Structure formats: C-alpha cells, structure tokens
Amino acid sequence: MTTQLAKSHRYELVHGEDSDFIAYQLHFGDGVWRTVSTWMIPRTTFAA
C-alpha cells in the first residue's frame, strides 16, 4: 500500500513596482490557495 500526500503549501514569487515579494500560501481544497505570510525583497540599484 502506498500513500501520496497532496501538496499543501507553496511559495510564490510576486513582482511589484518597486520590490518583489515571496508569498507563503496554504492549500484549503477545491483549488483555493490562501496567502498566510509575505516577505518583501527590496530592489537595490547599484552605481557602476
């Protein structure tokens, strides 16, 4: 007997105008994903 677990969480990269975000999402069934936490990744400009 083998058991397969469904994927119950994911991380998604979301692009914003001035920064990017990582969204941690949980699966609640019926194709519904709910964001429970986000982390901002600020963009930096480098002077050459």
Side-chain angles (χ1 to χ4, degrees):
M1 177 199 260
T2 60
T3 304
Q4 288 186 326
L5 298 175
K7 189 174 183 181
S8 62
H9 71 277
R10 69 181 179 188
Y11 294 93
E12 184 175 345
L13 177 61
V14 180
H15 298 287
E17 190 173 315
D18 294 325
S19 59
D20 295 326
F21 297 88
I22 299 291
Y24 176 69
Q25 300 176 329
L26 295 177
H27 187 252
F28 285 91
D30 294 333
V32 176
W33 289 89
R34 181 171 296 160
T35 299
V36 293
S37 185
T38 56
W39 295 271
M40 183 176 73
I41 304 169
R43 293 189 184 155
T44 38
T45 54
F46 295 98

Coordinates of all heavy atoms in Angstrom, one line a residue:
M1 N 0.8 -1.2 0.0 CA 0.0 0.0 0.0 C 0.9 1.2 0.0 O 1.8 1.4 0.8 CB -0.9 0.0 1.2 CG -1.8 1.2 1.3 SD -2.4 1.5 3.0 CE -4.0 0.9 2.9
T2 N 0.6 2.2 -0.9 CA 1.4 3.4 -1.0 C 0.4 4.6 -0.7 O -0.7 4.5 -1.1 CB 2.1 3.6 -2.3 OG1 1.1 3.6 -3.3 CG2 3.1 2.5 -2.6
T3 N 1.0 5.6 -0.1 CA 0.2 6.8 0.2 C 0.9 8.0 -0.4 O 2.1 8.2 -0.2 CB 0.1 7.0 1.8 OG1 -0.5 5.8 2.3 CG2 -0.8 8.2 2.1
Q4 N 0.1 8.8 -1.1 CA 0.6 10.0 -1.7 C 0.0 11.2 -1.0 O -1.2 11.2 -0.8 CB 0.4 10.1 -3.2 CG 1.2 9.1 -4.0 CD 1.0 9.4 -5.5 OE1 -0.1 9.7 -5.9 NE2 2.0 9.2 -6.2
L5 N 0.8 12.1 -0.5 CA 0.3 13.3 0.1 C 0.2 14.4 -0.9 O 1.0 14.6 -1.8 CB 1.3 13.7 1.2 CG 1.5 12.8 2.4 CD1 2.5 13.3 3.3 CD2 0.2 12.5 3.1
A6 N -0.9 15.1 -0.8 CA -1.1 16.3 -1.7 C -0.3 17.4 -1.2 O 0.0 17.6 0.0 CB -2.6 16.7 -1.7
K7 N 0.1 18.2 -2.2 CA 0.9 19.4 -1.8 C 0.0 20.4 -1.1 O -1.0 20.8 -1.6 CB 1.5 20.1 -3.1 CG 2.5 21.2 -2.8 CD 3.1 21.6 -4.1 CE 4.1 22.7 -3.9 NZ 4.7 23.2 -5.1
S8 N 0.4 20.7 0.1 CA -0.5 21.6 1.0 C 0.1 23.0 1.2 O -0.6 23.8 1.8 CB -0.7 20.9 2.3 OG 0.6 20.8 3.0
H9 N 1.3 23.3 0.7 CA 1.8 24.6 0.8 C 2.7 24.9 -0.5 O 3.1 24.0 -1.2 CB 2.6 24.8 2.1 CG 3.9 24.1 2.1 ND1 4.0 22.8 2.4 CD2 5.1 24.5 1.7 CE1 5.2 22.4 2.3 NE2 6.0 23.4 1.9
R10 N 2.9 26.2 -0.7 CA 3.8 26.6 -1.8 C 4.3 28.0 -1.5 O 3.8 28.8 -0.7 CB 3.1 26.6 -3.1 CG 2.0 27.7 -3.3 CD 1.3 27.5 -4.6 NE 0.3 28.6 -4.8 CZ -0.6 28.6 -5.8 NH1 -0.5 27.7 -6.7 NH2 -1.5 29.5 -5.8
Y11 N 5.4 28.3 -2.2 CA 6.0 29.7 -2.1 C 5.8 30.2 -3.5 O 6.1 29.6 -4.5 CB 7.5 29.6 -1.8 CG 7.7 29.1 -0.4 CD1 8.0 27.8 -0.1 CD2 7.7 30.0 0.7 CE1 8.2 27.3 1.2 CE2 7.9 29.6 2.0 CZ 8.2 28.2 2.2 OH 8.4 27.8 3.5
E12 N 5.4 31.5 -3.6 CA 5.2 32.1 -4.9 C 5.9 33.5 -5.0 O 5.8 34.3 -4.0 CB 3.7 32.3 -5.2 CG 3.4 32.9 -6.5 CD 1.9 33.0 -6.8 OE1 1.1 32.4 -6.0 OE2 1.5 33.6 -7.8
L13 N 6.7 33.7 -6.1 CA 7.3 35.0 -6.2 C 6.4 36.0 -6.9 O 5.8 35.6 -8.0 CB 8.6 34.8 -7.1 CG 9.4 36.1 -7.4 CD1 9.9 36.8 -6.2 CD2 10.5 35.7 -8.4
V14 N 6.1 37.1 -6.3 CA 5.2 38.1 -6.8 C 6.0 39.4 -7.1 O 6.7 39.9 -6.2 CB 4.1 38.4 -5.8 CG1 3.1 39.5 -6.3 CG2 3.4 37.1 -5.4
H15 N 5.9 39.9 -8.3 CA 6.6 41.1 -8.7 C 5.8 42.3 -8.5 O 4.6 42.4 -8.9 CB 7.0 41.0 -10.2 CG 7.9 39.9 -10.5 ND1 9.3 39.8 -10.2 CD2 7.7 38.7 -11.2 CE1 9.8 38.7 -10.6 NE2 8.9 38.0 -11.2
G16 N 6.4 43.3 -7.8 CA 5.7 44.6 -7.6 C 6.4 45.7 -8.4 O 7.4 45.4 -9.1
E17 N 6.0 46.9 -8.2 CA 6.6 48.0 -9.0 C 8.0 48.4 -8.4 O 8.9 48.6 -9.2 CB 5.6 49.2 -8.9 CG 6.0 50.4 -9.8 CD 5.0 51.4 -9.8 OE1 3.8 51.1 -9.9 OE2 5.4 52.6 -9.7
D18 N 8.1 48.4 -7.1 CA 9.4 48.8 -6.5 C 10.1 47.7 -5.8 O 11.2 47.9 -5.3 CB 9.2 50.0 -5.5 CG 8.7 51.2 -6.2 OD1 9.2 51.5 -7.4 OD2 7.9 52.0 -5.6
S19 N 9.4 46.6 -5.6 CA 10.0 45.5 -4.9 C 9.3 44.2 -5.3 O 8.3 44.2 -5.9 CB 10.0 45.7 -3.4 OG 8.6 45.8 -3.0
D20 N 10.0 43.1 -4.9 CA 9.4 41.8 -5.2 C 9.0 41.2 -3.8 O 9.5 41.6 -2.8 CB 10.3 40.8 -5.9 CG 10.7 41.3 -7.3 OD1 9.8 41.9 -7.9 OD2 11.8 41.1 -7.7
F21 N 8.1 40.2 -3.8 CA 7.6 39.6 -2.6 C 7.6 38.0 -2.8 O 7.4 37.5 -3.9 CB 6.2 40.0 -2.3 CG 6.0 41.5 -2.1 CD1 5.8 42.3 -3.1 CD2 6.1 42.0 -0.8 CE1 5.7 43.7 -2.9 CE2 6.0 43.3 -0.5 CZ 5.8 44.2 -1.6
I22 N 7.9 37.4 -1.7 CA 7.7 35.9 -1.6 C 6.4 35.7 -0.8 O 6.3 36.2 0.3 CB 8.9 35.2 -0.9 CG1 10.2 35.4 -1.7 CG2 8.6 33.7 -0.7 CD1 10.2 34.7 -3.0
A23 N 5.5 35.0 -1.3 CA 4.2 34.7 -0.6 C 4.2 33.2 -0.2 O 4.4 32.4 -1.1 CB 3.0 35.0 -1.5
Y24 N 3.9 33.0 1.0 CA 3.8 31.6 1.5 C 2.3 31.3 1.6 O 1.5 32.0 2.2 CB 4.4 31.5 2.9 CG 4.2 30.1 3.6 CD1 4.8 29.0 3.1 CD2 3.3 29.9 4.6 CE1 4.7 27.7 3.6 CE2 3.1 28.7 5.2 CZ 3.8 27.6 4.7 OH 3.6 26.4 5.3
Q25 N 1.8 30.3 0.8 CA 0.4 30.0 0.7 C 0.1 28.6 1.1 O 0.9 27.7 0.9 CB 0.0 30.2 -0.8 CG 0.3 31.6 -1.3 CD 0.0 31.7 -2.8 OE1 0.1 30.8 -3.5 NE2 -0.5 32.9 -3.2
L26 N -1.1 28.4 1.7 CA -1.6 27.1 2.1 C -2.8 26.8 1.2 O -3.6 27.6 0.8 CB -2.0 27.2 3.6 CG -1.0 27.4 4.6 CD1 -1.6 27.5 6.0 CD2 0.1 26.3 4.6
H27 N -2.9 25.5 1.0 CA -4.0 24.9 0.1 C -5.1 24.5 1.0 O -5.0 23.8 2.0 CB -3.5 23.7 -0.7 CG -4.4 23.3 -1.7 ND1 -5.1 22.1 -1.5 CD2 -4.8 23.8 -2.9 CE1 -5.9 21.9 -2.6 NE2 -5.8 23.0 -3.4
F28 N -6.3 25.1 0.7 CA -7.5 24.8 1.5 C -8.5 23.9 0.8 O -9.7 23.9 1.2 CB -8.1 26.1 2.0 CG -7.4 26.8 3.1 CD1 -6.4 27.7 2.8 CD2 -7.6 26.4 4.4 CE1 -5.7 28.3 3.8 CE2 -6.9 27.0 5.4 CZ -5.9 27.9 5.1
G29 N -8.1 23.3 -0.3 CA -9.0 22.4 -1.0 C -9.8 23.2 -2.1 O -9.9 24.4 -2.1
D30 N -10.3 22.4 -3.1 CA -11.1 22.9 -4.2 C -10.3 24.0 -5.0 O -10.9 24.9 -5.5 CB -12.4 23.5 -3.7 CG -13.4 22.4 -3.1 OD1 -13.2 21.3 -3.6 OD2 -14.2 22.8 -2.3
G31 N -9.0 23.8 -5.1 CA -8.2 24.8 -5.8 C -8.0 26.1 -5.2 O -7.5 27.0 -5.8
V32 N -8.3 26.3 -3.9 CA -8.2 27.5 -3.2 C -6.9 27.6 -2.5 O -6.6 26.7 -1.7 CB -9.4 27.7 -2.2 CG1 -9.2 29.0 -1.4 CG2 -10.7 27.8 -2.9
W33 N -6.0 28.6 -2.8 CA -4.8 28.8 -2.1 C -4.9 30.1 -1.4 O -5.4 31.1 -1.9 CB -3.6 28.9 -3.1 CG -3.3 27.6 -3.7 CD1 -3.8 27.1 -4.9 CD2 -2.3 26.7 -3.2 NE1 -3.2 25.9 -5.1 CE2 -2.3 25.6 -4.1 CE3 -1.5 26.7 -2.1 CZ2 -1.5 24.5 -4.0 CZ3 -0.6 25.6 -2.0 CH2 -0.6 24.5 -2.9
R34 N -4.5 30.1 -0.1 CA -4.6 31.4 0.7 C -3.3 31.8 1.2 O -2.5 31.0 1.7 CB -5.5 31.1 2.0 CG -5.7 32.3 2.8 CD -6.7 32.1 3.9 NE -8.0 31.9 3.3 CZ -9.0 31.4 3.9 NH1 -8.9 30.9 5.1 NH2 -10.2 31.2 3.2
T35 N -2.9 33.1 1.0 CA -1.6 33.6 1.4 C -1.7 33.8 2.9 O -2.6 34.5 3.4 CB -1.3 34.9 0.7 OG1 -1.3 34.7 -0.7 CG2 0.0 35.5 1.1
V36 N -0.7 33.3 3.6 CA -0.7 33.4 5.1 C 0.5 34.3 5.5 O 0.5 34.8 6.7 CB -0.7 32.1 5.8 CG1 -2.0 31.3 5.6 CG2 0.5 31.2 5.4
S37 N 1.4 34.5 4.7 CA 2.6 35.3 5.0 C 3.3 35.8 3.8 O 3.3 35.1 2.7 CB 3.6 34.5 5.9 OG 4.6 35.4 6.3
T38 N 3.9 37.0 3.8 CA 4.7 37.5 2.7 C 6.0 38.1 3.2 O 6.0 38.6 4.4 CB 3.9 38.6 1.9 OG1 3.5 39.7 2.8 CG2 2.7 38.1 1.2
W39 N 7.0 38.1 2.4 CA 8.3 38.7 2.7 C 8.6 39.6 1.5 O 8.6 39.2 0.4 CB 9.4 37.6 2.8 CG 9.2 36.7 4.0 CD1 9.6 36.9 5.3 CD2 8.5 35.4 4.0 NE1 9.3 35.8 6.0 CE2 8.6 34.9 5.3 CE3 7.8 34.7 3.0 CZ2 8.0 33.7 5.6 CZ3 7.2 33.5 3.4 CH2 7.3 33.0 4.6
M40 N 9.0 40.8 1.9 CA 9.4 41.8 0.8 C 10.9 41.6 0.5 O 11.7 41.5 1.4 CB 9.2 43.2 1.3 CG 9.5 44.2 0.2 SD 9.1 45.9 0.7 CE 10.4 46.3 1.8
I41 N 11.2 41.7 -0.8 CA 12.6 41.7 -1.3 C 12.8 43.0 -2.0 O 12.4 43.2 -3.1 CB 12.8 40.5 -2.3 CG1 12.4 39.2 -1.6 CG2 14.3 40.5 -2.7 CD1 12.4 38.0 -2.6
P42 N 13.4 44.0 -1.3 CA 13.6 45.3 -1.9 C 14.5 45.3 -3.1 O 15.5 44.5 -3.0 CB 14.1 46.2 -0.8 CG 14.6 45.2 0.3 CD 13.9 43.9 0.1
R43 N 14.3 46.1 -4.0 CA 15.2 46.2 -5.2 C 16.3 47.2 -4.8 O 16.0 48.3 -4.2 CB 14.5 46.6 -6.4 CG 13.5 45.5 -6.9 CD 13.0 45.9 -8.2 NE 12.0 44.8 -8.6 CZ 11.0 45.1 -9.4 NH1 10.8 46.2 -10.0 NH2 10.1 44.1 -9.7
T44 N 17.5 46.9 -5.2 CA 18.6 47.9 -5.0 C 19.2 48.2 -6.3 O 19.3 47.4 -7.2 CB 19.7 47.3 -4.1 OG1 19.8 45.9 -4.4 CG2 19.3 47.4 -2.6
T45 N 19.6 49.5 -6.4 CA 20.3 49.9 -7.6 C 21.7 50.0 -7.3 O 22.1 50.6 -6.2 CB 19.7 51.2 -8.1 OG1 19.7 52.2 -7.1 CG2 18.3 51.1 -8.6
F46 N 22.6 49.6 -8.2 CA 24.0 49.6 -8.0 C 24.6 50.7 -8.9 O 24.3 50.7 -10.1 CB 24.6 48.3 -8.3 CG 24.2 47.2 -7.3 CD1 23.2 46.3 -7.7 CD2 24.8 47.1 -6.1 CE1 22.7 45.3 -6.8 CE2 24.4 46.1 -5.2 CZ 23.3 45.2 -5.6
A47 N 25.4 51.5 -8.3 CA 26.1 52.5 -9.1 C 27.4 51.9 -9.7 O 28.2 51.2 -9.0 CB 26.5 53.7 -8.3
A48 N 27.6 52.0 -11.0 CA 28.8 51.4 -11.7 C 29.9 52.4 -11.7 O 29.8 53.6 -11.7 CB 28.4 51.0 -13.0

